[in-house]
Amino acid sequence: RAQYGGFFLAVALVCGLALFGVAPKSAALVLLAATFGGILFGRLASAGLDGGFAAYGATIKALFVVDLVGAAAAIWALTTLPR
């Protein structure tokens, strides 16, 4: 759980810097896509090793959706960002 806190602290810092114009928006979006995509990939790998989703509760299953939507939104925003 602590590693997720570290990921999202870094994401919050970079997104905050981008919000105030200190860092490029593209950097924040790449970090968001990598973070959510990486967490999703790890969850899917764990589900594969665990033999599927049957043993997971509703909260964990919802986190798969959250991570997928987060990664997709970041990728979409990155591809539509004005150059």
Side-chain angles (χ1 to χ4, degrees):
R1 296 175 204 234
Q3 71 270 20
Y4 294 120
F7 285 136
F8 289 108
L9 177 61
V11 167
L13 290 173
V14 173
C15 288
L17 291 173
L19 181 65
F20 292 108
V22 177
K25 291 177 185 172
S26 59
L29 293 171
V30 167
L31 181 60
L32 279 170
T35 300
F36 279 113
I39 291 172
L40 178 62
F41 180 78
R43 289 189 199 284
L44 290 171
S46 292
L49 292 172
D50 291 341
F53 298 95
Y56 296 158
T59 302
I60 300 301
K61 289 178 183 175
L63 289 174
F64 280 90
V65 177
V66 169
D67 295 335
L68 177 63
V69 170
I75 291 167
W76 174 80
L78 187 60
T79 61
T80 60
L81 193 66
R83 305 242 180 246

